[in-house]
Amino acid sequence: MHHIKNWLIDFSIRRHRLVACLVLVLTMAAGSFFPGMTLDTDPENMLEPTEPVRLFHNHSKQRFDLSDTIVLGVINERDPDGVFNPE
């Protein structure tokens, strides 16, 4: 193991341009997958649809007629009191 580590360090020093190009190519190859990715930030989707906790949550939402909350941020930089002002 120690021999492999030393060989890798020596190779990286001797062939630094090759290593830099390989890292660049690998980074670009990995980056090419980003456009096809979707981002899901809903923690509920991290559970299986048949998970008991998720089933209970869905049942509770239906029983108490709850809906998802959407938060909207408003900024007013023209007034020192911000959004909450008489005007």
Side-chain angles (χ1 to χ4, degrees):
M1 185 70 174
H2 188 67
H3 176 69
I4 295 173
K5 182 175 81 171
N6 287 339
W7 178 84
L8 187 61
I9 291 170
D10 290 339
F11 181 82
S12 299
I13 291 171
R14 282 186 276 118
R15 308 252 191 241
H16 59 277
R17 286 189 180 102
L18 175 64
V19 171
C21 287
L22 286 174
V23 168
L24 182 64
V25 167
L26 289 173
T27 302
M28 289 173 61
S32 70
F33 289 103
F34 280 124
M37 292 177 65
T38 56
L39 181 64
D40 183 7
T41 58
D42 188 358
E44 185 176 333
N45 293 333
M46 295 179 190
L47 299 172
E48 291 291 327
T50 58
E51 188 75 28
V53 173
R54 188 169 178 178
L55 293 173
F56 175 75
H57 174 71
N58 290 337
H59 176 70
S60 298
K61 280 178 25 179
Q62 184 179 18
R63 180 172 180 162
F64 295 107
D65 195 27
L66 300 174
S67 59
D68 293 330
T69 303
I70 297 175
V71 178
L72 175 66
V74 180
I75 299 173
N76 182 0
E77 295 178 349
R78 289 185 266 155
D79 193 295
D81 293 326
V83 176
F84 301 106
N85 57 61
E87 295 176 16

